[in-house]
Amino acid sequence: MAHGSRSAAGVAANRALLHRVRAQRPDLDVRCCFLDLARPSLPEALAALDGQAAVLVPLLLGGGYHLRVDLPGALAAAGLTHLPLARALGPHPLLAAALADRLAAAGRPAGAGPVVLAAAGSSDPAANADTARTAELLADRLGDGSPVVPAYLSAARPTPREAVAALHAAGHRRVAVATHLLAPGFFADRAAATGAHWTSAPLGTHETLARLVALRHDEARVASLAAAR
């Protein structure tokens, strides 16, 4: 279950990520649906199960309202509260590994200075806390002593532009932005317009991210089987 986007490239990136999951895990029947703005919708996907067992894996990088309210509500409305609901993809070390790879691909060398983690942002403090935890995991993954500053493209502060400007004002000439987003679109365009020296691409179809999607499926399925015993 992806969030959905008005960007055709964003929707295509979500579908391409799940194609990568299928390639890694041919034992799984992987289907794609969207919470908003694209088809099939989550209710349509749930109706298409027609009694089959399934695990709902949110393609969300942190917790928040969607995970706490929207997804359980959709399962309840469909009479499918027995279906396992996986955790958000992050925070997780695999997510930090993918972010670090994207930074390296953008040209940032090790030890090059501070990084701003540009996340979508949320009015839910728990979701923003997940972003802050991912920033810590990314700093650990980089392992070069560079600070990683969490920033938010909506609903919270600082914005990535504000965080980059503050680091420049503090004397850091070269600042990188790690794009903590799954796909191209409105937020990714904003993340690329901060004045940073390097800006990484969205996570997209990164192989490690596909591994994380499959891992969240496996965790939820194992927990569901254990609870049924």
Side-chain angles (χ1 to χ4, degrees):
M1 193 289 304
H3 188 280
S5 173
R6 292 185 176 87
S7 165
V11 172
N14 292 142
R15 295 188 187 281
L17 171 61
L18 295 186
H19 181 74
R20 172 80 46 118
V21 176
R22 292 185 192 100
Q24 289 186 7
R25 292 288 300 275
D27 57 306
L28 297 179
D29 174 6
V30 181
R31 306 182 188 186
C32 185
C33 66
F34 299 90
L35 190 61
D36 198 9
L37 302 173
R39 302 281 298 276
S41 68
L42 177 56
E44 288 169 340
L46 293 175
L49 290 174
D50 195 25
Q52 298 176 79
V55 176
L56 182 59
V57 181
L59 299 187
L60 303 173
L61 296 177
Y65 187 86
H66 291 319
L67 200 57
R68 289 190 297 101
V69 178
D70 288 339
L71 300 187
L75 290 174
L80 297 173
T81 54
H82 62 283
L83 292 186
L85 174 60
R87 296 169 56 191
L89 299 181
H92 194 279
L94 287 175
L95 179 56
L99 287 164
D101 282 353
R102 287 288 188 248
L103 279 172
R108 179 192 179 272
V115 174
V116 172
L117 183 67
S122 174
S123 58
D124 187 330
N128 295 333
D130 282 347
T131 298
R133 177 57 183 151
T134 296
E136 295 172 354
L137 291 171
L138 178 56
D140 290 343
R141 178 72 186 194
L142 294 173
D144 58 14
S146 299
V148 178
V149 179
Y152 310 94
L153 290 154
S154 68
R157 307 288 286 274
T159 67
R161 181 182 286 274
E162 289 170 342
V164 169
L167 289 165
H168 283 160
H172 298 284
R173 292 189 303 108
R174 299 196 300 175
V175 177
V177 167
T179 302
H180 188 241
L181 301 168
L182 285 176
F186 176 75
F187 280 156
D189 291 343
R190 289 187 63 188
T194 65
H197 194 82
W198 304 280
T199 300
S200 65
L203 291 160
T205 59
H206 195 287
E207 182 176 359
T208 301
L209 189 64
R211 286 175 52 205
L212 181 55
V213 173
L215 174 65
R216 290 304 196 210
H217 163 274
D218 293 345
E219 289 173 344
R221 185 170 181 275
V222 168
S224 176
L225 290 173
R229 291 189 182 124

